[in-house]
Every structure is written in C-alpha cells, then in structure tokens.
Amino acid sequence: MIVAAACAEPPHPAPRAVIPHTIGPEPPQVRHYVAGRAVDAVRVDGMLDEATWTVAFWTETFVDIEGDRRPVPRHRTRVAMAWDDQALYLAAVLEEPHLWGTIRQRDAVIFHDNDFEVFLDPDGDSHAYYELEINALGTVWDLFLDRPYRDGGSAVDSWDIEGLASAVRLEGSLNDPSDVDIGWTVELAIPWAGLTGPDGPELAPLDGESWRVNFSRVQWRLEANDTGYTKVRADDGEPLPEDNWVWSPQDAINMHMPEMWGVVHFSGLPVGQSRADLAAGVDDVPWLLRRVYYAQRRARSATGGYVGAADRIGIDGDVDIELVGTDGYRATAGAGTHVWTIDQHGRVWRGQDRP
C-alpha cells in the first residue's frame, strides 16, 4: 500500500528537559553521515527501488533519545540520504509490527501518532531551523522555528516546504490488530528552494559543507480493541509516555537542542563513495561556548542575572564575556579566523560581529 501525503495552529508542549543530562569539557560524540549525490532520478513513491538507495550508506540503527541510559529501542529504524542540485532526498525504513495512524489533517500535531521526524539546521547556529513530521497515513507537519523553545522560540506552522514530495509505503495492514505487520518506509524530497524560512534565501549546500541534522521516531505503546488500536494508559487514565528513538542521541528528552544533533557532510561524489577528507569531529570551541550558555542559564535562574566572568560560572577555558544591556551577554572564544561567539539566546556563530 502506498500513501501520498494529504491549517491548524497546533499547541507546542514544552520539552521535559532543556539541557543534556551530562555536560562535560569534551564535545558530545554525535553521529556523522556523508551524503553523496543521487545517481538516478528519485521517484518519491515510498518504494526505495532506485539505484540511489541501493548503493547509499545507511545510518546506524536508531537509539533512545537519552542514549545508553535507556533501553535499546524495540524496533529498528534507519535512514539514508542523497542530494542533487534540486533537493535533499531522504529514505527511512521503520520496523513496525502494528501499523497505526489516525491523524489526517496537515499541520496537526503528528507526534500524537507514531511518526518519523526530520530536523535540519543548515548553518549550525542552533537558530532558524526546520522540522518535518510524517505518520503512517502520509500526513505531514512541516514548520520553521526561529529558535529553540527553551530560548523563547516560536514555531511558524503556516510555513510549508514549497515543493515538498513525500510518500509512505506500508508493509502490512493499517489499524488492523488481527495480523503482525512488517513496517513502513518513508521517502522524501525536500527542495532547496523550499528551505527558505519565512524570509530567507535558498539554502542549497556546496560540496564539503556540513549541516546539523537529526531524525526522530515517536513510538506509543498500543493495545488492540474491536476497532483497531488505542494507547496503553496508566492508572490515572493518561497514555503512557511515548518512546523517542533517534539517530544521534540528545542525552535528554528534548529534540530542540540542535547542538546535540548529528552532522551530515555533503559530498560531491556519487552516493556510496566515502570521503575521508570530510571532518568527523565536533568543533571544541562552539562546545566550550555552549557550556558557557548552560552555566549562564543556571546563574540567571539562581541570581536573576548573567555573569561577566567565565571563572565565576565554573568555566576554565579562555572565554571573554561581555554583558550586553540589562539582560544579555556575548561570550567569545578562539583566535584568529577561528573565533566563535554565543549570546544569551543560545545562537552560536563564527566571528564576533554577526547580528
């Protein structure tokens, strides 16, 4: 069965944690992926029968959003990526013994169903990023976020990825508890021309560029009934918390921490060909500044204001902090052409003078 994707202003529940559980001096060991160029035309039909998907690298199996502190996911999930001058192509394969979906309205809160989610931060500054969710019915929720919710951000639900192509293929029977299903596949083509945000320019990458990216799978515990499935509920009548399975672990139940996302490197070579020259590490200077950001959040919560010296908030690296106005700061680290800056809103950028 193949389902093609079909506006409300949905609510945005606050994440249950705002920062990682563990914040150490070393950058997190995020996952990396090299996306090569597609070798044939990708037909977005959910079949994944193109040569591109036959030879592309597939990601590691998803893990729990909190990493090793939580059990291994019950069902396997993997993703492959490719690109060309027109679009980013994504394929996902999700094992699922009980195919289920209820939401048919575009831009509804798709994660109230089991879903697959994509997060893209092209310039890696942790602001102005994109989220896309899709369920087994092929219903899409795409949105643009000016900054993470923890930093007072808001989502633009009325914004859509212009030209988005999406399809779902089901291996089994939807909403039928009488059998055991195999799973579902998702295929997406996200045009570069559609990744503009409300006002920004097209964001096509160049060979060798890297984006911060992550993928998530929301999985609810279900029980069968006469009409299909319902969520398993706790004694208080509320559904049991959903499972969150991801490509690169977040170390907290919060997808809206772009600094914890994985890194996708765009290669000009065809898919399936490795690029040893592409970096596989996370820069330690932005991570040092992110630690300043976390520490400043704690300081402001405890004292009502930010601190103008790194050693007073427990940071032993070489960081300059400038207090800005009555409730802001800029922290700068690095040297020469490798200077980075972060502000009180958590935006991190290379150089000191970016607005």
Side-chain angles (χ1 to χ4, degrees), residues 72-332:
V72 173
R74 299 184 301 280
H75 312 308
R76 192 183 193 196
T77 312
R78 293 186 304 155
V79 175
M81 289 166 261
W83 67 293
D84 60 20
D85 292 341
Q86 286 72 49
L88 171 65
Y89 304 100
L90 301 172
V93 178
L94 303 88
E95 291 182 354
E96 177 54 75
H98 301 291
L99 290 167
W100 169 70
T102 66
I103 298 171
R104 298 180 180 273
Q105 180 185 18
R106 179 158 184 158
D107 289 341
V109 184
I110 302 299
F111 64 75
H112 287 169
D113 280 354
N114 293 339
D115 77 357
F116 173 73
E117 304 179 357
V118 180
F119 296 83
L120 305 172
D121 181 10
D123 62 5
D125 69 350
S126 82
H127 284 204
Y129 60 91
Y130 308 92
E131 178 179 354
L132 182 150
E133 304 184 8
I134 188 168
N135 66 2
L137 286 163
T139 310
V140 168
W141 179 18
D142 48 359
L143 55 158
F144 174 85
L145 295 99
D146 58 347
R147 65 181 70 163
Y149 299 118
R150 66 185 177 190
D151 299 306
S154 59
V156 183
D157 295 299
S158 59
W159 174 85
D160 293 330
I161 301 174
E162 185 175 353
L164 172 70
S166 63
V168 166
R169 178 176 179 267
L170 307 181
E171 293 189 75
S173 53
L174 188 70
N175 298 327
D176 181 1
S178 67
D179 61 3
V180 176
D181 305 310
I182 296 173
W184 52 304
T185 58
V186 176
E187 194 167 21
L188 301 168
I190 302 175
W192 306 123
L195 292 183
T196 60
D199 304 305
E202 181 179 332
L203 293 171
L206 299 174
D207 176 24
E209 285 189 351
S210 300
W211 288 17
R212 298 305 294 262
V213 175
N214 214 348
F215 305 100
S216 173
R217 175 180 179 177
V218 169
Q219 188 77 11
W220 296 90
R221 292 185 182 270
L222 303 175
E223 58 186 1
N225 59 34
D226 292 340
T227 60
Y229 298 102
T230 57
K231 295 175 182 176
V232 176
R233 297 182 179 273
D235 292 340
D236 62 2
E238 292 298 315
L240 293 177
E242 75 280 9
D243 290 310
N244 296 270
W245 303 333
V246 303
W247 170 47
S248 195
Q250 295 287 106
D251 199 33
I253 305 175
N254 182 3
M255 283 305 298
H256 294 275
M257 300 188 299
E259 69 272 16
M260 301 298 292
W261 295 353
V263 180
V264 172
H265 308 278
F266 291 94
S267 167
L269 297 178
V271 289
Q273 297 189 26
S274 60
R275 281 284 299 273
D277 60 306
L278 294 178
V282 173
D283 199 318
D284 56 356
V285 175
W287 181 250
L288 171 63
L289 293 177
R290 184 60 59 180
R291 290 171 56 214
V292 171
Y293 163 83
Y294 297 144
Q296 290 281 35
R297 285 182 65 99
R298 291 193 295 268
R300 187 173 184 271
S301 177
T303 67
Y306 295 116
V307 176
D311 58 355
R312 290 176 52 202
I313 51 175
I315 302 297
D316 55 7
D318 187 8
V319 180
D320 293 324
I321 299 177
E322 174 191 2
L323 297 180
V324 178
T326 59
D327 192 30
Y329 69 88
R330 282 193 174 190
T332 304

